[in-house]
Amino acid sequence: SAINFLERLCLTWMFFFMMCVAERTYKQRFLFAKLFSHITSARKARKYDIPHFRLKKVENIKIWLSLRSYLKRRGPQRSVDVVVSSIFLLALSIAFICCAQVLKGHKTFLSAAYNWEFLIWEAALLLFLLRLASLGSETNKKYSNISILLTEQINLYLKMEKKPNKKEQLSLVNNVLKLSTKLLKELDTPFRLYGLTMNPLIYNITRVVILSAVSGVISDLLGFNIRV
């Protein structure tokens, strides 16, 4: 019993350590995205002590796009995706086991100690998944902030009125900004956790198995058939 307890404790520590590493990586990505969104603002760049430049030249737009692409790829990618997918699959497995136990006998479900352990694991995993989903969505919003390009376009229009002699050069920069805006809209997709929404196989397994189990549990508890 002591060896079993120590093995379980070590495995739990290792798994939650990997989850903490994944969350730290997501926090770093969010920090990079936040600082990147402040580059074109003089006040925010001065506040966070980062470089500042305006998108009033084609070279600056090229640097801005290259920096955005570099920061999005910076840091571990595949290893963190493997950790997140493992968390997601483990949460699905525990949910399926709990549903099967409830269908077997919902009155005696909470009387078993291992069922309480399953519920604690499920709650912890869901909290981590929600945290990662929140950080990922906020990071994606920072990188997909098209208002920066629209603001620069407005500034260019105002500068055209003040400096008609540079209208041709400013028009070229404005066209590049328009193309950059369309490109970002085409390339960027809503943030998705690696697993359910990105893997069709896992999605189909979830829809068929997990939702069927949940439907059976609800039907068993309420006393009539419900199809989820």
Side-chain angles (χ1 to χ4, degrees):
S1 299
I3 294 176
N4 187 19
F5 174 77
L6 289 176
E7 289 179 350
R8 186 175 300 182
L9 184 64
C10 292
L11 290 174
T12 302
W13 180 84
M14 291 174 59
F15 197 80
F16 277 92
F17 175 76
M18 290 189 297
M19 288 194 291
C20 290
V21 171
E23 184 181 8
R24 182 183 177 185
T25 303
Y26 270 65
K27 287 181 179 179
Q28 288 179 346
R29 293 178 185 177
F30 174 70
L31 178 61
F32 293 150
K34 180 181 178 181
L35 295 178
F36 174 76
S37 65
H38 297 337
I39 286 179
T40 56
S41 173
R43 180 180 59 83
K44 292 181 179 179
R46 194 183 308 111
K47 177 181 178 181
Y48 291 97
D49 195 20
I50 57 177
H52 163 67
F53 60 89
R54 302 297 298 272
L55 304 180
K56 57 183 180 180
K57 297 181 181 180
V58 177
E59 292 79 6
N60 291 356
I61 299 174
K62 182 180 179 181
I63 294 173
W64 187 82
L65 293 174
S66 300
L67 181 61
R68 179 183 183 274
S69 177
Y70 170 75
L71 290 177
K72 290 192 73 172
R73 296 194 307 266
R74 191 177 187 275
Q77 299 289 333
R78 185 171 299 179
S79 58
V80 174
D81 288 341
V82 170
V83 172
V84 176
S85 62
S86 302
I87 297 172
F88 183 77
L89 291 174
L90 182 59
L92 287 181
S93 302
I94 294 176
F96 177 74
I97 294 174
C98 290
C99 291
Q101 292 292 333
V102 171
L103 289 175
K104 185 177 179 181
H106 63 271
K107 294 182 178 179
T108 59
F109 175 73
L110 296 178
S111 60
Y114 58 86
N115 287 333
W116 282 100
E117 186 176 356
F118 281 144
L119 291 176
I120 294 173
W121 268 91
E122 184 71 11
L125 294 177
L126 288 178
L127 287 176
F128 264 95
L129 287 175
L130 290 175
R131 176 62 175 163
L132 296 179
S134 176
L135 288 172
S137 298
E138 292 297 325
T139 302
N140 192 69
K141 287 179 182 178
K142 295 293 183 182
Y143 282 124
S144 304
N145 191 6
I146 307 299
S147 62
I148 295 175
L149 300 179
L150 296 177
T151 303
E152 294 295 335
Q153 290 182 37
I154 294 174
N155 293 332
L156 286 176
Y157 280 120
L158 296 175
K159 190 171 292 185
M160 286 179 191
E161 294 182 357
K162 294 181 179 180
K163 299 180 180 180
N165 57 328
K166 294 185 178 181
K167 187 173 182 180
E168 184 177 354
Q169 179 183 357
L170 295 176
S171 298
L172 176 62
V173 178
N174 186 47
N175 292 332
V176 175
L177 282 175
K178 289 181 179 179
L179 292 175
S180 301
T181 303
K182 292 181 180 180
L183 179 64
L184 295 183
K185 288 181 179 179
E186 290 291 332
L187 294 179
D188 288 340
T189 56
F191 172 76
R192 296 176 178 180
L193 276 175
Y194 184 84
L196 175 65
T197 53
M198 296 182 66
N199 194 320
L201 177 61
I202 298 179
Y203 172 76
N204 291 326
I205 293 175
T206 304
R207 184 179 61 181
V208 175
V209 179
I210 302 299
L211 293 183
S212 299
V214 173
S215 176
V217 170
I218 296 176
S219 301
D220 185 62
L221 293 176
L222 299 180
F224 53 88
N225 292 329
I226 293 179
R227 185 173 296 176
V228 179

